[in-house]
Amino acid sequence: MRVLVTGGAGFLGSHLCEALVAQGHTVVCMDNLITGRVDNVAHLLGNEKFSFVKYNVCDYVHIEGGLDAILHFASPASPQDYLELPIATLKVGALGTHKVLGLAKAKGARILLASTSEVYGDPLVNPQPESYWGNVNPISPRGVYDEAKRFAEAITMAYHRYHGVDTRIVRIFNTFGPRMRPKDGRVVSNFIVQALQGHPLSIFGDGSQTRSFCYVDDLVRGILSLLMIDSDKSHEERTDRKFLTSQPQGKAVNSIHDPVNLGNPRELTVLEIAKMVLALTGSSSQIAYHPLPADDPKVRRPDIQRARALLKWEPQVPLEDALRRTIEYFRKVI
């Protein structure tokens, strides 16, 4: 296939570019480098199956020649980034998604939208299934990211229903691994860098809020499985009928075009994660507590029954092993 990856020089996007090229696909990587880095894809630049285009997807997007698939991953994704870039975050979720959907329609290409667990907001249901509509404050500072992704999902489904575009939506839960920026403001990277540098580990609130962390290799495997699965009844019939009719809210989620949660259902408190990082790094850093940001989710855990049934997917890399790999990466780059 020939595949466009927007946000392809970012953390997740670069891993997707790498995996697609390794599978023999031709990849066009598009990124405006606001949060992405050319270093993330530098090892691919000499490959004839890979090309890089510096471009903002909020502008008119045109790709010469045929295109089989689009992975739309362009967006600030860490709280630090989208709080510093609120307008850009909203624009790429709205205008950027509109532009790439138009490209998918023109090229007859399949498109996979990177959505997020943040569409569930501060959830009142735990774990969160795809049928849960969420509990989002649209006017809070972090609402710029939540609502950008919720709109992106809505317009993606509209293009599928109205124009017949072949769409996929993945709701990504907390993910970590090599190529995260050392100071991107995410929990795992923050803890690891602080521990390695001997600085206090910053915990916001009392650390009792929960998160579920998935290693990047597992996530990429799930995303590519969702991209490649065909839109026919045989695949939709793989889903478990009991699951489809037992969700706590909303219409049954049973189409390949409906969102799919990808994440690790192992739920830990932020304090537990901090202590795990301290143990694995051998750091003597202390823990420093700070005020909890507004609308910070109290719980976060994916219900992955749909991914298990539809994709035969679940995480395989144990959290401790994944943390060790990520720690070794940061030892080399900081």
Side-chain angles (χ1 to χ4, degrees), residues 127-141:
Q128 296 86 55
E130 292 88 345
S131 58
Y132 177 52
W133 294 346
N135 178 40
V136 173
N137 178 359
I139 60 170
S140 74

Side-chain angles (χ1 to χ4, degrees), residues 4-8 29-34 52-63 74 92 99-100:
L4 170 66
V5 182
T6 72
C29 170
M30 183 175 287
D31 203 299
N32 65 359
L33 301 180
I34 288 181
F52 173 76
V53 180
K54 184 180 179 182
Y55 194 76
N56 188 336
V57 296
C58 294
D59 299 327
Y60 174 74
V61 180
H62 175 70
I63 298 291
V92 75
K99 295 296 190 296
V100 295

